[in-house]
Amino acid sequence: MTLASNTYDAEPIPEAARAAIDAMLQSGDLFRYTAPQDAPVALLEREFATLMGTKYALAVSSCSAALFLSLKALDLPRGARVLIPAFTFAAVPSAVLHADCLPVLCEVGANYRIDLQDFEAKLGRDIGAVIISHMRGHTSDMDAILALCTARDIPVIEDAAHSLGTRWHGRNIGTLGRVGCFSFQSYKLVNAGEGGIMITDDADLVARAIIMSGAYEHNWAKHMAGSDPALGAAFERWQNRLPLYNLRLSNLSAAIIRPQLAEIPRRVRDGRANHDYVAACLNDSPWLDVPPPLPPEERAPDSIQFNLVGMDDAAARAFAAAAAAHGVKVQVFGQSTDNARAFWNWRFIPGDVPDLPQTRAMLMSACDTRLPARLSRSQLDLIATAICDAAAEVMGQTARYGT
Ligand SMILES: *Cc1c(COP(=O)(O)O)cnc(C)c1O
């Protein structure tokens, strides 16, 4: 038996979205500010804030837009230095540059988490804000990070694009820092094609972000579900004083997202069970290593990352080719020429490529393969067997034909 070609396809959108979309096609009411109140985007924001346990949520066009608006809402001076992990998606340093700030890259260890020694050392060098990317849902030591940042009064933005449903000491990821940002792009837990959302308890910050997201004139009033004197005062304070970047979400996207919110617990549960099952299989191979989560972390994975053990670059590339021959697409982050998660490909950052040997070494042996929550046990067995067999083929040959 081999893997079916649709193994990695997205889940269907819940049927409930269809009626809402049909009604919108009839009415043409696609813009969030046309209705006097309770537009689908506004309802999504209220539901998401309730789900996460925060006061405010602002839905926008992407997680990148949410990161950009978060930095703008913090009112950092032009050229402010923003500390980010060197293992993240290119959208993160891009959002920093877009906000007229300068990304500073911090080392990441073999377990895909921020190296705290390098983090602390760089935090002392005139850092205006920190973005923590929970890359592929891996949570860095947030206790240590928040303690270090709080002591220096440096705001923390959580890039939880790929971490919806993850918990740290039982608390929702995205609620630990000053603001948390999520993505609804198709490869994330909730799929609207495109979209993002930011959450915070900070009335002044969210008022600034709402206006800059494109709430022109008095449209900010449609973000108030009741009396909130702090939020009302913040809107009055910032009215007409901020640029409008128009990064709004469409009602159509909100209608696709809202019925998926109820699916999150199942996707998290199944995704974690699938991941842990495949991780146990891979850890049985002497050439593969899946780093464990940190103790306070409950993960919500829809993919698996593992390190190749004892393979040089040629073996790593041969391994990826062998896995592909078995029908499983495995990407070794650093072994392709244009991977958007390899920091040396972020040539748009001013200055030389930074020297980050630890992160570079990790990227040269860290593998990435998708593991959607809806896979069956037999599909998981096929994937795990293909990966282990590919490693054995490559390393077995090395042993036979080696020195
Ligand atoms: C997907 C992703 C982003 C970007 O999200 P968009 O909604 O596509 O802008 C940012 N950071 C991480 C860690 C991601 O996985």
Side-chain angles (χ1 to χ4, degrees):
M1 205 167 105
T2 53
L3 279 168
S5 60
N6 67 347
T7 299
Y8 301 110
D9 285 1
E11 278 189 36
I13 305 301
E15 188 57 31
R18 195 180 300 273
I21 291 168
D22 263 350
M24 266 183 245
L25 296 183
Q26 284 292 322
S27 67
D29 187 4
L30 306 180
F31 182 49
R32 70 167 297 164
Y33 293 134
T34 303
Q37 60 192 27
D38 294 343
V41 179
L43 295 177
L44 165 66
E45 288 168 343
R46 244 173 275 161
E47 290 159 359
F48 198 82
T50 302
L51 185 74
M52 301 303 287
T54 53
K55 278 197 192 149
Y56 310 113
L58 169 64
V60 290
S61 53
S62 68
C63 181
S64 299
L67 292 169
F68 164 75
L69 285 171
S70 298
L71 291 165
K72 282 288 179 191
L74 286 171
D75 206 11
L76 300 169
R78 182 176 284 267
R81 290 155 55 85
V82 176
L83 190 56
I84 67 170
F87 177 43
T88 185
F89 187 56
V92 176
S94 305
V96 174
L97 289 171
H98 188 191
D100 293 319
C101 298
L102 188 70
V104 176
L105 275 48
C106 160
E107 283 270 39
V108 170
N111 67 352
Y112 321 130
R113 290 161 177 87
I114 287 170
D115 179 283
L116 287 172
Q117 223 178 339
D118 196 49
F119 182 81
E120 185 171 6
K122 286 178 176 159
L123 204 58
R125 294 186 213 155
D126 194 22
I127 294 296
V130 164
I131 298 179
I132 301 298
S133 269
H134 305 299
M135 185 56 176
R136 287 291 189 271
H138 299 286
T139 313
S140 295
D141 184 344
M142 291 304 288
D143 297 347
I145 287 167
L146 292 170
L148 289 167
C149 292
T150 305
R152 290 164 180 77
D153 204 19
I154 297 174
V156 173
I157 298 167
E158 284 182 81
D159 166 19
H162 216 151
S163 244
L164 181 56
T166 301
R167 295 197 174 171
W168 179 259
H169 290 299
R171 288 177 59 193
N172 288 320
I173 280 295
T175 65
L176 307 175
R178 181 86 65 89
V179 43
C181 302
F182 297 86
S183 175
F184 300 126
Q185 185 268 342
S186 287
Y187 301 153
K188 315 299 161 112
L189 198 76
V190 169
N191 164 25
E194 303 283 0
I197 198 162
M198 54 192 276
I199 54 173
T200 183
D201 287 333
D202 185 326
D204 197 69
L205 186 146
V206 83
R208 287 174 57 84
I210 286 169
I211 291 173
M212 286 188 278
S213 76
Y216 59 94
E217 296 164 357
H218 269 58
N219 279 315
W220 50 255
K222 294 174 184 172
H223 290 260
M224 302 209 31
S227 165
D228 186 333
L231 186 58
F235 283 135
E236 297 287 356
R237 191 158 53 242
W238 293 112
Q239 173 86 67
N240 295 340
R241 303 189 54 182
L242 296 167
L244 306 174
Y245 295 107
N246 284 10
L247 300 165
R248 296 174 300 248
L249 192 73
S250 148
N251 279 340
L252 267 179
S253 303
I256 289 172
I257 295 163
R258 290 180 63 215
Q260 292 184 62
L261 298 184
E263 305 283 319
I264 293 172
R266 175 189 55 80
R267 291 181 188 173
V268 169
R269 193 178 57 240
D270 292 355
R272 189 185 300 151
N274 289 356
H275 174 278
D276 292 352
Y277 178 76
V278 173
C281 299
L282 302 194
N283 277 331
D284 277 342
S285 162
W287 300 293
L288 307 173
D289 178 51
V290 184
L294 299 184
E297 190 183 2
E298 282 174 86
R299 303 197 56 231
D302 59 6
S303 63
I304 189 164
Q305 290 70 46
F306 53 95
N307 294 326
L308 302 175
V309 179
M311 292 195 206
D312 60 15
D313 289 353
R317 283 194 290 271
F319 162 76
H326 285 279
V328 175
K329 185 167 186 270
V330 175
Q331 202 176 33
V332 190
F333 288 105
Q335 299 284 357
S336 63
T337 51
D338 57 358
N339 196 300
R341 299 148 203 90
F343 64 87
W344 54 88
N345 290 329
W346 305 339
R347 302 282 289 277
F348 50 82
I349 299 178
D352 296 333
V353 175
D355 187 27
L356 297 159
Q358 224 192 126
T359 310
R360 185 180 285 271
M362 178 274 285
L363 288 166
M364 295 315 278
S365 84
C367 301
D368 189 28
T369 197
R370 294 193 66 199
L371 217 50
R374 63 179 178 74
L375 296 187
S376 66
R377 197 43 75 88
S378 62
Q379 286 171 313
L380 298 174
D381 282 330
L382 283 168
I383 290 172
T385 306
I387 293 173
C388 291
D389 286 355
E393 276 166 36
V394 169
M395 296 312 277
Q397 261 179 7
T398 304
R400 252 197 323 259
Y401 300 117
T403 51

